[in-house]
Amino acid sequence: DVVMTQTPPSLSVAIGQSVSISCKSSQSLVYSDGKTYLHWLLQSPGRSPKRLIYQVSNLGSGVPDRFSGTGSQKDFTLKISRVEAEDLGVYYCAQTTHFPLTFGSGTKLEIK
Amino acid sequence: EVQLQQSGAELGKPGTSVKLSCKVSGYNIRNTYMHWVNQRPGKGLEWIGRIDPANGNTIYAEKFKSKATLTADTSSNTAYMQLSQLKSDDTAIYFCAMGWFAYWGQGTLVTVSS
């Protein structure tokens, strides 16, 4: 199985600051079609997950452009610029290149 | 607007089965994959499996191959997951999700207790 290693496990940030979350996979996430199926999700407290970014860097519907994703092969980063209060929750990376599909262990973002 | 509406909370006794549903509106499930994911109390997300509603083909995570059975009814645009031989560690929230996790249901809490 592809292991997704997320760091840090938690973050505490003030409103307006920027943060980055890292996600590293144990195998390349490039599929045979040349695309990379790495996605970022946010689970706000008490809610179901919401997809923020798909295929490394594509913004999900209605997701503000304060969120951005970069990376390739096995090394990926989610950046949140100008954090807002509504950004708190647990962020997960997820890969859908290889079966079984796997998730990172999550990064909990708290607001100072 | 795409919406996934899951069935209500379940309380199951050890050794029994439960069947969860996920009704999709705003999109034809024949044109996508339906996934099921669980989240044990205070833990992260775990993928259970996926069904292609157009042909019924399924793929499961190894540990769920004898635990979960995924089906879909395209006439009602609904996906189902049956969990069998319930044990206490099956207690979790179970989510359905569509496509490559583009849309999620609100989750169904399954509690296993005698």
Side-chain angles (χ1 to χ4, degrees):
Chain A
D1 298 2
V2 177
V3 177
M4 307 293 286
T5 302
Q6 257 185 264
T7 55
S10 65
L11 283 171
S12 183
V13 60
I15 301 291
Q17 286 190 318
S18 295
V19 295
S20 291
I21 299 170
S22 170
C23 177
K24 296 183 191 295
S25 58
S26 59
Q27 300 177 32
S28 171
L29 298 185
V30 181
Y31 189 56
S32 55
D33 62 3
K35 297 179 182 177
T36 302
Y37 293 92
L38 182 283
H39 321 288
W40 290 96
L41 312 171
L42 166 61
Q43 188 173 29
S44 301
R47 305 293 299 274
S48 51
K50 172 187 175 181
R51 192 179 71 178
L52 299 174
I53 288 180
Y54 63 98
Q55 292 180 41
V56 181
S57 58
N58 297 287
L59 224 52
S61 175
V63 176
D65 61 6
R66 301 183 291 101
F67 293 90
S68 62
T70 58
S72 63
Q73 300 286 335
K74 297 166 59 176
D75 195 349
F76 305 93
T77 301
L78 173 71
K79 182 177 180 179
I80 313 170
S81 303
R82 306 180 306 279
V83 166
E84 297 186 4
E86 65 185 24
D87 299 337
L88 73 92
V90 181
Y91 291 80
Y92 295 95
C93 57
Q95 66 83 19
T96 57
T97 298
H98 304 285
F99 288 107
L101 309 189
T102 49
F103 298 89
S105 53
T107 296
K108 185 174 185 177
L109 178 65
E110 297 177 329
I111 306 297
K112 283 182 184 174
Chain B
E1 181 190 5
V2 177
Q3 291 189 331
L4 282 63
Q5 182 64 41
Q6 295 187 235
S7 48
E10 298 271 4
L11 174 60
K13 294 187 185 308
T16 64
S17 300
V18 293
K19 189 171 185 178
L20 313 183
S21 67
C22 172
K23 184 170 178 58
V24 178
S25 58
Y27 197 85
N28 190 333
I29 64 171
R30 282 183 170 274
N31 300 323
T32 190
Y33 297 115
M34 297 297 298
H35 300 264
W36 290 85
V37 173
N38 79 358
Q39 186 168 41
R40 291 186 170 86
K43 302 298 185 184
L45 304 172
E46 182 177 32
W47 184 75
I48 295 170
R50 176 203 91 179
I51 185 168
D52 180 348
N55 55 28
N57 288 346
T58 52
I59 300 177
Y60 297 91
E62 188 67 33
K63 67 179 287 188
F64 290 103
K65 282 185 176 177
S66 57
K67 170 63 63 179
T69 302
L70 305 187
T71 56
D73 178 359
T74 54
S75 66
S76 64
N77 226 36
T78 303
Y80 298 91
M81 178 174 67
Q82 179 164 314
L83 298 171
S84 61
Q85 291 297 314
L86 291 173
K87 300 185 289 188
S88 58
D89 69 356
D90 293 322
T91 293
I93 297 173
Y94 291 84
F95 296 101
C96 58
M98 209 175 81
W100 295 127
F101 302 140
Y103 299 96
W104 292 69
Q106 82 276 23
T108 296
L109 174 62
V110 174
T111 304
V112 181
S113 174
S114 54

